[in-house]
Amino acid sequence: MSKKFYVTTAIDYLNGEPHLGHAYEKIITDGIARAHKSLGEEVFYLTGLDEHGLKVQQAAQAKGMEPKEYCDELSQSWKAFAGALQLINNDFIRTTEPRHYAVVSAILQKLWDQGDFYKSSYKGYYSTRAETFLTEDDRQPDGSFDAIYGDVVELEEDNYYFTLSKHQQWLIDHIEANPDFIQPVTRRNEILGFLKNQELKDLCISRPANRLQWGIPLPFDPDYVTYVWFDALINYVSATLSHGDPLVQKILKVQPPEEDAETAAKGLELWPADIHVIGKDIVRFHSVYWPIMLKAMGLPLPKQVLAHGWWQKDGDKMSKTTGNIVDPVAVIEEWGVDAFRFYVTRELSIGPDGNWTDEGFQARYDAELANGLGNLVNRSLSMLKRYRKSETPAVSNELESLATETITQVKAAYQDNQLQKALQLTWAFITKINQYIDETAPFKIAKDPEQAGRLDEILYNLVESCRILAVLIWPIIPGTAQKIFDQLQIEGTPATLAELKWGGISAGHVTGKPSPLFPRKETAK
Ligand code: MSP
């Protein structure tokens, strides 16, 4: 068995309902997973939930529930959300599962035995709301702390610390030797700047259980629970245990829990992850703390940390309290999941921030989906039906070189996880084929029986281009790709980028009934 292409999202805090930011991250990760699958790789896609820590404990309390009961209930709607986005995730991890406890405990014990942790007392200002100690640097000019920290109290507390600074130069060297390790380059530069300009402070990895109960106990001191980030990052490894990853079992000397015996028997080779897709706010956790944790455990590092930007709405931060939000479920119900997946992927490359506007969404729906792609497929199949009773004429190669060039470029973009670019190239192809229809005017030629041969050529080029398009779009809008295959009456999946080339539809193939892929909508202005 060979190692799979292993891609992950951040795991979301379970303190509310999913929003546009969560949806975005899952969709682009899905695009990456599907693209690699279509390119012929074996893919494993992990997403899930971060269920421990104060935020979740407080959210449960606010509902008058026990944290576990609260998490069990709410996690169902997050799993359903992954389904509504049509993700092809192979697993959905929750940090309250036995497999995660087993791996977190094994890692803590191993690092403790190795002498990577020490206990120390710390006196300082503590924000319960942010669950963090503050320093003098956090004070505002007037001496107070920002309101986001809530009540700040002076506290002296013993905790366990993880020694980081001895790994600092090693990490700098690793980032410098591996330019793709942190992407995009702006984030890489930020992290290098941070690492080169100051000595890393040791990471506090515990919280006293009398202050925070909702966490994984330290195996060597039950008076403490594990700090939520130390717990959460490990999900990427603990998921692999339940699929029997041989490397992880060997290095961490931990067995999959009984309940995972069946999946573990498969022995999938997953670690190291190929890509951790995350938002720009949590790059430091993933490209400083996480690599050092892995180094201490003796596991290889992920190949890439890929940081996307943040969405705003109408130029402002999204916020529940002001009502300035985009509800992904409502958008999907109104416009369909593919329209939603298309907009967020097409609007932004992976890196910069985005701004959602309803007008922008509708403009892309109308121009690119309904008029661009939808119209092309509809016109092509309707003409074939009207002029040739839906029977494909002899193979013609007029658009072959354009298609071949597009296929090569789109494949390269997908290989490089440049989803927006893949869509731009695909839509440039759509525009050219729509122009081809206007220029060759099959609807005029059809009136002249002497030009029947020419009409055959044009119709072949159109249906074959539609087939190729279905394969090109599958990673991002898989439902539409499948609908095109259904209307073309082609069996099987459009997930076949690896072998995609001109000439797949044979002469005599009968296509099905055309129906609009993206119905036009009248919206109240
Ligand atoms: N639980 C931590 C992650 C632990 S990963 C080991 C966390 N959770 S979160 O729910 O706050 O955020 C989950 C992901 O959603 C993060 O990658 C974050 O950047 C992303 N987003 C949250 N709001 C966002 C936007 N407005 N726009 C785009 N992505 C955003 O952090």
Side-chain angles (χ1 to χ4, degrees):
M1 200 183 307
S2 58
K3 189 191 162 310
K4 293 192 189 295
F5 178 85
Y6 178 30
V7 59
T8 66
T9 66
I11 50 171
D12 305 316
Y13 289 125
L14 195 48
N15 59 346
E17 296 289 335
H19 59 56
L20 173 62
H22 301 127
Y24 174 64
E25 183 169 300
K26 291 181 200 329
I27 289 170
I28 56 174
T29 310
D30 195 59
I32 291 172
R34 284 179 185 263
H36 284 264
K37 184 174 168 153
S38 189
L39 285 163
E41 288 172 68
E42 283 195 34
V43 171
F44 193 94
Y45 171 11
L46 176 71
T47 187
L49 290 168
D50 187 354
E51 303 190 2
H52 292 126
L54 197 71
K55 278 186 218 259
V56 178
Q57 182 175 302
Q58 285 173 343
Q61 267 159 6
K63 294 219 159 187
M65 291 165 97
E66 284 301 315
K68 181 71 170 77
E69 183 195 1
Y70 164 87
C71 290
D72 285 347
E73 194 177 298
L74 195 56
S75 62
Q76 293 311 315
S77 68
W78 282 75
K79 281 190 179 169
F81 184 62
L85 296 176
Q86 296 194 353
L87 309 182
I88 55 163
N89 59 303
N90 302 79
D91 198 348
F92 188 102
I93 189 161
R94 299 179 51 201
T95 53
T96 47
E97 290 168 341
R99 54 176 168 169
H100 185 66
Y101 269 69
V103 176
V104 171
S105 304
I107 290 170
L108 284 164
Q109 189 66 52
K110 178 171 179 171
L111 268 52
W112 173 247
D113 294 343
Q114 286 174 187
D116 283 310
F117 302 147
Y118 61 92
K119 195 173 185 185
S120 165
S121 166
Y122 187 85
K123 189 172 175 195
Y125 299 100
Y126 193 81
S127 151
T128 314
R129 186 181 291 172
E131 211 190 313
T132 187
F133 278 101
L134 303 171
T135 66
E136 288 301 324
D137 295 345
D138 296 310
R139 283 190 193 277
Q140 307 187 105
D142 69 357
S144 68
F145 290 104
D146 194 296
I148 56 163
Y149 294 118
D151 281 341
V152 176
V153 290
E154 218 182 346
L155 202 79
E156 183 166 5
E157 189 171 278
D158 282 350
N159 264 309
Y160 288 89
Y161 291 83
F162 176 29
T163 322
L164 300 183
S165 56
K166 67 174 178 191
H167 301 293
Q168 189 156 354
Q169 191 55 46
W170 160 81
L171 184 57
I172 293 173
D173 293 345
H174 181 82
I175 297 171
E176 290 194 322
N178 297 278
D180 288 338
F181 179 56
I182 306 170
Q183 280 293 322
V185 70
T186 44
R187 301 292 165 211
R188 175 173 185 265
N189 293 342
E190 250 169 51
I191 294 294
L192 275 175
F194 167 74
L195 284 170
K196 285 180 174 176
N197 288 326
Q198 64 222 289
E199 183 171 331
L200 273 178
K201 283 203 213 106
D202 292 342
L203 181 71
C204 180
I205 58 117
S206 65
R207 294 290 183 266
N210 59 15
R211 223 162 29 76
L212 176 72
Q213 297 81 44
W214 187 228
I216 302 182
L218 296 185
F220 46 87
D221 189 342
D223 288 342
Y224 290 85
V225 298
T226 315
Y227 168 48
V228 67
W229 269 100
F230 196 92
D231 161 344
L233 287 161
I234 291 173
N235 89 87
Y236 304 129
V237 168
S238 44
T240 73
L241 177 73
S242 58
H243 299 278
D245 189 309
L247 177 70
V248 167
Q249 290 183 74
K250 186 173 131 216
I251 302 283
L252 299 181
K253 299 192 175 54
V254 55
Q255 293 301 313
E258 197 48 46
E259 61 167 29
D260 297 324
E262 208 173 298
T263 47
K266 297 204 172 109
L268 302 189
E269 290 176 31
L270 297 172
W271 195 260
D274 289 82
I275 311 182
H276 290 318
V277 179
I278 54 156
K280 63 176 185 179
D281 56 321
I282 55 176
V283 179
R284 194 178 294 179
F285 290 103
H286 284 80
S287 48
V288 177
Y289 304 138
W290 182 226
I292 294 179
M293 285 165 67
L294 286 163
K295 166 124 189 305
M297 290 172 215
L299 280 173
L301 301 196
K303 300 203 185 100
Q304 184 170 86
V305 173
L306 180 58
H308 62 76
W310 267 44
W311 281 90
Q312 296 193 323
K313 176 164 192 261
D314 300 325
D316 271 328
K317 190 176 175 332
M318 283 187 288
S319 148
K320 251 192 186 163
T321 31
T322 61
N324 191 43
I325 52 157
V326 178
D327 176 0
V329 176
V331 177
I332 290 170
E333 271 170 17
E334 186 176 354
W335 298 87
V337 64
D338 275 6
F340 181 64
R341 290 176 59 113
F342 176 78
Y343 177 72
V344 294
T345 314
R346 174 60 187 81
E347 185 72 14
L348 286 188
S349 65
I350 300 177
D353 290 338
N355 184 33
W356 177 290
T357 62
D358 291 345
E359 297 73 30
F361 178 88
Q362 201 185 328
R364 283 204 189 280
Y365 182 92
D366 290 343
E368 292 163 51
L369 295 178
N371 292 337
L373 175 62
N375 205 18
L376 171 61
V377 174
N378 203 261
R379 286 209 280 177
S380 302
L381 284 174
S382 301
M383 287 192 286
L384 188 65
K385 181 162 182 260
R386 191 169 332 129
Y387 305 138
R388 295 291 178 265
K389 296 198 172 63
S390 295
E391 195 177 318
T392 310
V395 177
S396 158
N397 299 336
E398 197 172 352
L399 292 178
E400 180 178 2
S401 63
L402 173 66
T404 306
E405 195 187 327
T406 304
I407 293 168
T408 308
Q409 290 176 344
V410 172
K411 276 167 86 166
Y414 277 134
Q415 192 70 57
D416 208 18
N417 309 313
Q418 297 196 51
L419 306 181
Q420 184 198 41
K421 188 171 173 196
L423 290 181
Q424 285 165 336
L425 290 162
T426 305
W427 259 257
F429 181 58
I430 292 173
T431 304
K432 285 192 187 132
I433 303 170
N434 272 323
Q435 280 165 2
Y436 172 81
I437 300 183
D438 296 342
E439 282 159 22
T440 56
F443 33 87
K444 280 192 196 145
I445 291 182
K447 294 182 188 136
D448 177 1
E450 287 198 355
Q451 297 207 61
R454 178 63 184 140
L455 183 60
D456 280 346
E457 283 172 10
I458 300 168
L459 292 173
Y460 183 85
N461 280 283
L462 292 179
V463 275
E464 176 60 2
S465 296
C466 290
R467 182 188 74 88
I468 286 182
L469 276 169
V471 179
L472 297 179
I473 61 176
W474 182 81
I476 312 301
I477 44 174
T480 306
Q482 191 58 55
K483 277 188 196 159
I484 297 175
F485 260 39
D486 292 347
Q487 293 188 21
L488 288 170
Q489 294 204 120
I490 297 176
E491 306 264 306
T493 163
T496 51
L497 261 179
E499 61 257 26
L500 183 60
K501 62 175 197 297
W502 185 263
I505 300 190
S506 332
H509 174 82
V510 177
T511 60
K513 190 169 168 286
S515 84
L517 295 169
F518 297 98
R520 258 171 262 273
K521 300 206 179 226
E522 293 303 321
T523 49
K525 282 257 149 82

